[in-house]
């Protein structure tokens, strides 16, 4: 059986340490790539069919609307998880939990009997309540204690990854 690093991330405008920056690569992508290299594992992106706006405010408006309505944005590709027993699920903290595109993925599959390791990048909220939402959505999975990484530190998170995974 295998491990897969599955991630959602968004490049574009974001608030980093209190100011708007234009990120060419999303923070979560940067951290998830390091984790996949560290674990020599599969690496899979949860890519929405309708990409999120580059503009920060437009993105937060859409994200909030999706959360209120409990939308499940369609994903462009899917991953066959039948041969996978551990999913390292990487996502940004959006309004204290994971983006709804991650919820789409969780509902597409049964994770019963599998292990999920949540990794959340954030700007202050840590894991938020994403772990408890994950437990509710995947009650038959083993949900490990999550790893929270501050978004602005994703480029320098190698030591934190080694400490957590080794
Ligand atoms: C729509 C939206 C909502 C966010 N909500 C939170 C939040 O509730 N708490 C927090 O600490 N950071 C929040 N952030 C900041 C992101 O979690 C953080 O910048 C993350 O590292 C972004 O990862 P990404 O570049 O992979 O998308 C939010 C960012 C966006 C765009």
């Amino acid at each position: 059986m295998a491990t897969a690093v599955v991630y959602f991330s968004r490049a574009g405008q974001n608030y980093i340490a209190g100011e708007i920056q234009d990120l060419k690569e999303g923070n979560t992508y940067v951290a998830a790539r390091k984790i996949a290299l560290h674990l020599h594992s599969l690496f899979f992106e949860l890519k929405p069919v309708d990409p999120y706006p580059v503009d920060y405010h437009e993105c937060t408006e859409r994200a909030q609307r999706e959360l209120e309505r409990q939308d499940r944005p369609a994903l462009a590709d899917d991953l066959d998880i039948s041969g996978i027993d551990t999913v390292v699920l990487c996502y940004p903290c959006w309004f204290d939990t994971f983006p709804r595109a991650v919820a789409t993925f969780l509902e597409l599959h049964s994770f019963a009997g599998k292990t999920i390791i949540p990794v959340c990048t954030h700007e202050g909220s840590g894991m938020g309540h994403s772990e408890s939402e994950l437990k509710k959505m995947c009650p038959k999975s083993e949900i490990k204690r999550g790893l929270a990484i501050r978004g602005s530190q994703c480029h320098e998170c190698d030591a934190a990854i080694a400490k957590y995974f080794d």
Side-chain angles (χ1 to χ4, degrees), residues 44-111:
F44 182 77
E45 179 180 9
L46 301 176
K47 204 187 274 184
V49 170
D50 181 14
Y52 286 88
V54 169
D55 181 273
Y56 176 77
H57 297 289
E58 286 176 22
C59 178
T60 51
E61 272 170 33
R62 174 170 154 193
Q64 193 156 29
R65 198 168 54 239
E66 288 181 349
L67 188 60
E68 280 163 11
R69 294 183 191 162
Q70 280 301 317
D71 286 344
R72 297 292 184 263
L75 299 173
D77 298 304
D78 196 17
L79 175 71
D80 177 4
I81 64 160
S82 54
I84 290 163
D85 61 353
T86 301
V87 175
V88 181
L89 187 64
C90 307
Y91 49 84
C93 180
W94 279 9
F95 302 107
D96 277 336
T97 187
F98 42 78
R100 292 307 87 185
V102 175
T104 304
F105 175 69
L106 293 172
E107 284 179 357
L108 279 174
H109 301 279
S110 167
F111 291 88

Side-chain angles (χ1 to χ4, degrees), residues 7-16 23 25-31 52-53 55-64 90-97 99 120-128 149-154:
Y7 75 95
F8 171 92
S9 184
R10 170 188 156 271
Q13 283 186 351
N14 213 333
Y15 260 106
I16 309 289
L23 302 180
E25 295 179 332
N27 294 330
T28 313
Y29 164 73
V30 172
Y52 286 88
D55 181 273
Y56 176 77
H57 297 289
E58 286 176 22
C59 178
T60 51
E61 272 170 33
R62 174 170 154 193
Q64 193 156 29
C90 307
Y91 49 84
C93 180
W94 279 9
F95 302 107
D96 277 336
T97 187
C120 180
T121 79
H122 66 97
E123 267 310 305
S125 301
M127 300 298 294
I149 306 172
R150 199 172 263 271
S152 52
Q153 288 164 8
C154 285

